[in-house]
Amino acid sequence: MDLEKIEGLVKIIENSSLTEFTLKEGDLKITMSKLDNPPVVAAGMPVAAAAPGAPAPEAAPVEAEAEDEPLFITSPIVGTFYSAPAPDAPAFVKVGDQVKNGQTVCILEAMKLMNEIQSEFDCEIEAVLVSNEQKVEYGQPLFRVKKL
């Protein structure tokens, strides 16, 4: 089964009322399911997910409700975290860097697609919460930031 067929199945499931779907073709078995309640992170705001094959997703920020609560740039997809565009290149951002709205902060690889994750607001990186080449989950905090 090729990637286009899998992407087509994902779109069908997303747009239907099905909550789980299993397809077996020879030795290959694919099971897809929707989450009834999307994960909630940090300040309790859900994060939007991107479908495979969609344009490069942007990081979904979790807004802090009070000044004391931390603010995060979270993973919009499941994938592998890369801090730099190439193994020998410097990281996109490091602790203490000031980041502008739309600036790339990392790359997440999902299904052999490299997705540039961008900040949706001006901020300063307070902590990088994952290591290079680490597997990350949907909604997982990647960076703790302070809004500028």
Side-chain angles (χ1 to χ4, degrees), residues 75-144:
S75 176
I77 58 176
V78 173
T80 304
F81 174 88
Y82 293 102
S83 61
D88 58 344
F92 287 107
V93 296
K94 60 186 182 306
V95 174
D97 284 355
Q98 291 192 352
V99 177
K100 298 289 182 196
N101 182 7
Q103 181 177 337
T104 300
V105 294
C106 67
I107 292 176
L108 291 179
E109 177 186 4
M111 296 177 63
K112 303 292 182 196
L113 295 174
M114 299 298 184
N115 300 287
E116 289 188 355
I117 307 304
Q118 301 169 341
S119 176
E120 291 187 349
F121 48 83
D122 294 345
C123 60
E124 180 180 331
I125 304 295
E126 290 185 325
V128 179
L129 305 174
V130 292
S131 58
N132 198 40
E133 298 183 15
Q134 179 179 336
K135 303 285 188 236
V136 296
E137 296 295 323
Y138 165 75
Q140 178 177 344
L142 304 174
F143 302 92
R144 187 178 72 231

Side-chain angles (χ1 to χ4, degrees), residues 49-61:
E58 294 183 359

